[in-house]
């Protein structure tokens, strides 16, 4: 029965598990919403032009004594068929108090809107529960060649507690109509 659940997991189907993180059990509910109206669901597609402003990320299932780290990354750079530059880091927020949203955390890498060039890119939000406040000390010096697993390991974050991803591709004039 366990294998059926794993195979039906959209994070497994979308290769987020494997390409970005190892398999984990979701223990916290996280919702990501752009422009107060567009909620991110696994595998849904968004136009990059609607993602210019950082989203609201709400965490449900923590308490005020727990703190979280949020990472947004693109594992498909420069293109999904040959992602030799993966991952590209789009955002890191640390010390987010449980039961709040990312605006209450410490933005250590500023939000960068998605700008896919070739093909359909996955943009992944990964949430980690910190063992204590100010756990994250090793901040990346570059957005390119980011490695979510290594970052979590270097900062002793343990496995993720939640993740969600969406797809986006370069907009052409015809697609915007």
């Amino acid at each position: 029965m366990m294998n059926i659940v794993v195979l039906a997991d959209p994070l497994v189907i979308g290769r987020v598990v494997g390409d970005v993180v190892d398999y984990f059990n979701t223990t916290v509910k996280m919702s990501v919403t752009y422009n107060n109206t567009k909620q991110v669901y696994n595998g849904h597609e968004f136009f990059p032009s609607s993602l210019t402003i950082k989203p609201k990320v709400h965490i449900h299932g923590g308490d005020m004594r727990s703190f979280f780290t949020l990472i947004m990354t693109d594992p498909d750079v420069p293109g999904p068929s040959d992602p030799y530059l993966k991952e590209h880091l789009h955002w890191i927020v640390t010390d987010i108090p449980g039961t709040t949203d990312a605006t209450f955390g410490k933005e250590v890498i500023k939000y960068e809107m998605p700008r896919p060039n070739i093909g359909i890119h996955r943009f992944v939000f990964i949430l980690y529960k910190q063992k204590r406040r100010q756990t994250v000390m090793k901040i990346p010096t570059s957005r390119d060649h980011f490695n979510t697993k290594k970052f979590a390991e270097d900062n002793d974050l343990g496995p993720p507690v939640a993740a969600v991803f969406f797809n986006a591709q370069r907009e052409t004039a015809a697609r915007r109509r």
Side-chain angles (χ1 to χ4, degrees), residues 15-35:
R15 295 186 341 272
V16 169
V17 169
D19 288 354
V20 181
V21 294
D22 292 327
Y23 189 78
F24 67 96
N25 287 316
T26 301
T27 56
V28 172
K29 188 169 169 12
M30 169 178 67
S31 61
V32 179
T33 310
Y34 278 95
N35 306 318

Side-chain angles (χ1 to χ4, degrees), residues 119-131:
I120 299 170
H121 288 235
R122 295 165 293 163
F123 292 89
V124 185
F125 294 91
I126 306 116
L127 189 69
Y128 292 91
K129 185 173 183 182
Q130 297 172 198
K131 293 184 175 153

Side-chain angles (χ1 to χ4, degrees), residues 76-139:
D76 299 317
V77 180
S81 61
D82 186 17
Y84 64 90
L85 293 174
K86 69 174 172 186
E87 300 165 36
H88 183 79
L89 178 60
H90 281 268
W91 198 25
I92 295 181
V93 184
T94 66
D95 297 326
I96 305 165
T99 72
T100 65
D101 65 68
T103 55
F104 291 94
K106 179 178 163 194
E107 190 177 52
V108 294
I109 299 289
K110 296 225 172 285
Y111 177 78
E112 179 183 276
M113 73 173 276
R115 287 189 183 91
N117 278 330
I118 308 161
I120 299 170
H121 288 235
R122 295 165 293 163
F123 292 89
V124 185
F125 294 91
I126 306 116
L127 189 69
Y128 292 91
K129 185 173 183 182
Q130 297 172 198
K131 293 184 175 153
R132 62 196 166 286
R133 194 175 188 149
Q134 297 175 331
T135 298
V136 177
M137 297 297 174
K138 296 179 176 131
I139 306 301

